[in-house]
Amino acid sequence: MSFLRFTRSLGLSACVHPTYGARHSFHSSAKRSKSFKQLIWGAGFLVTAASIPLLSRAIRLDAEPLAVESNTESTIDSATGIEFPNAIRVAAKFNVPLLSLVGVGVRTVSFLGIKVYSVGFYADLNNPKLKINSEMTPDEKITEIIRNSACVVRIVPTRNTSFTHLRDAFMRALHERMNTGRKSGTLTEDEALEVGSPMRKLKTLFPNSPLTKHTPFDIFLSEPIPGKPRALIFRDLGAIENDWVATEFVLHYFEGAGPSPPLKKAVVSQLENFEK
C-alpha cells in the first residue's frame, strides 16, 4: 500500500506550522488492529510543527507554539550537536495540541562516557488539566505533567544502533519499576499480573533491524481519556494500550537522575518557575 493511500485509510494528514522550518516526519506502518484503531484514532504520525507539505487536509493550527527558546526554531544538545525542534505535533482526525520541548540531554554509558543518544522531552504545557503551583517540587511538576497530558520522548542515536538494543533497555527499565512498585506497595500483585500481557506485547514490537545514526525515534504518550487506557505509541512500530506501562515508561526517564542526567537537569531547570 502506498504512503498516500495509507494516510487516507487512517484519516490522517500531515500538518504545517508557519513558525517552524522543514525538518523531518514519519508515518506509522503498524497493523490496523481493532484495538489500535480505537486507541490512537489514527495518531500514528508524529511530525515536527513544520515538517512536510499538506497531503490531504490539515488539522487546525490555532494553538500558539510554546517554545523553550522563543527566539529560536530549535534547540541543540550541546553534548552531541543534535538538533531538536522546539515544537512538534501529532497529526490525527482530532485536534492534538502543539507539544513543547521541555528539555534535552545526552545518554552516556560505561565509565568512558560513550554518548549513545540525545533525548528530548516534549509535553502539552498548555493543558488545562495541569495543576502546578510554586510550592511543588520539580519532581512533582514532572509527575503531574506526565500523568495528565500528552507527552513525547524523542530519541536520536549518536551512532548506529538497533531496535533490539532499545527494546532491551526499555524492558529492563519497566521491570525495575515493576519491582520497585511491588516493594513500595504502589503496584499490587493483581495489577502486576495485568501488565504482563502489554509488557509481552511491547517486547514483540521491536524488529531485529538497525536504527541508523541521527534518525529520530519518537514515543508518544496519549493524554488520559476517562474510560480508556492510555496509549504508548512507538514510531512506525505500533502501540501499547495500558495505563501503567504507558505512564511508567515515560516516568522512568525522570526517576532519580534518570537514564540521561543532563535531560533531567534541563527539564528541572525549565520547570523551576513554571506554574499552571
Side-chain angles (χ1 to χ4, degrees), residues 145-162:
I145 289 169
I146 293 172
R147 291 196 180 279
N148 294 285
S149 71
C151 304
V152 164
V153 174
R154 168 167 288 188
I155 294 172
V156 185
T158 61
R159 59 188 65 218
N160 292 339
T161 184
S162 67

Side-chain angles (χ1 to χ4, degrees), residues 165-243:
H165 179 79
L166 287 178
R167 177 203 64 195
D168 293 344
F170 294 159
M171 295 303 296
R172 283 195 302 270
L174 286 171
H175 280 299
E176 288 175 5
R177 292 193 70 80
M178 184 180 292
N179 292 334
T180 299
R182 281 170 165 169
K183 292 177 182 178
S184 66
T186 59
L187 182 69
T188 67
E189 288 302 318
D190 287 342
E191 290 170 334
L193 288 174
E194 288 179 5
V195 303
S197 178
M199 289 274 282
R200 289 189 292 273
K201 180 180 178 182
L202 173 61
K203 192 172 182 179
T204 65
L205 287 183
F206 296 84
N208 185 20
S209 58
L211 179 60
T212 57
K213 175 181 178 181
H214 292 173
T215 300
F217 180 58
D218 293 341
I219 304 149
F220 171 65
L221 174 63
S222 67
E223 179 181 357
I225 299 175
K228 294 184 178 181
R230 297 185 82 176
L232 189 67
I233 304 171
F234 295 84
R235 164 188 160 182
D236 292 336
L237 304 182
I240 299 299
E241 304 160 6
N242 179 269
D243 285 333

Side-chain angles (χ1 to χ4, degrees), residues 68-188:
V68 173
E69 297 182 31
S70 59
N71 294 325
T72 62
E73 296 181 2
S74 60
T75 297
I76 296 176
D77 182 356
S78 60
T80 63
I82 292 174
E83 189 174 5
F84 290 80
N86 282 342
I88 58 178
R89 188 191 295 276
V90 175
K93 289 182 178 179
F94 54 95
N95 186 30
V96 180
L98 202 64
L99 304 184
S100 307
L101 181 64
V102 188
V104 301
V106 64
R107 161 72 168 160
T108 59
V109 297
S110 85
F111 68 94
L112 296 175
I114 298 173
K115 299 172 184 177
V116 180
Y117 59 75
S118 285
V119 56
F121 175 64
Y122 293 83
D124 175 16
L125 298 183
N126 287 321
N127 193 317
K129 296 178 182 178
L130 296 179
K131 308 297 180 184
I132 297 176
N133 58 59
S134 59
E135 296 182 358
M136 297 173 69
T137 67
D139 282 341
E140 289 173 337
K141 292 180 180 181
I142 293 170
T143 300
E144 172 72 8
I145 289 169
I146 293 172
R147 291 196 180 279
N148 294 285
S149 71
C151 304
V152 164
V153 174
R154 168 167 288 188
I155 294 172
V156 185
T158 61
R159 59 188 65 218
N160 292 339
T161 184
S162 67
F163 281 108
T164 54
H165 179 79
L166 287 178
R167 177 203 64 195
D168 293 344
F170 294 159
M171 295 303 296
R172 283 195 302 270
L174 286 171
H175 280 299
E176 288 175 5
R177 292 193 70 80
M178 184 180 292
N179 292 334
T180 299
R182 281 170 165 169
K183 292 177 182 178
S184 66
T186 59
L187 182 69
T188 67

Side-chain angles (χ1 to χ4, degrees), residues 3-15 26-30 32 36-37 40-47 52-59 89-96 233 236:
F3 172 77
L4 185 56
R5 287 178 59 199
F6 182 75
T7 61
R8 289 174 175 168
S9 70
L10 290 182
L12 299 177
S13 63
C15 63
F26 72 78
H27 70 280
S28 171
S29 60
R32 298 174 56 202
F36 184 69
K37 289 190 293 182
I40 68 171
W41 293 352
F45 285 76
L46 192 61
V47 298
I52 55 178
L54 297 175
L55 294 179
S56 52
R57 56 183 180 85
I59 60 176
R89 188 191 295 276
V90 175
K93 289 182 178 179
F94 54 95
N95 186 30
V96 180
I233 304 171
D236 292 336

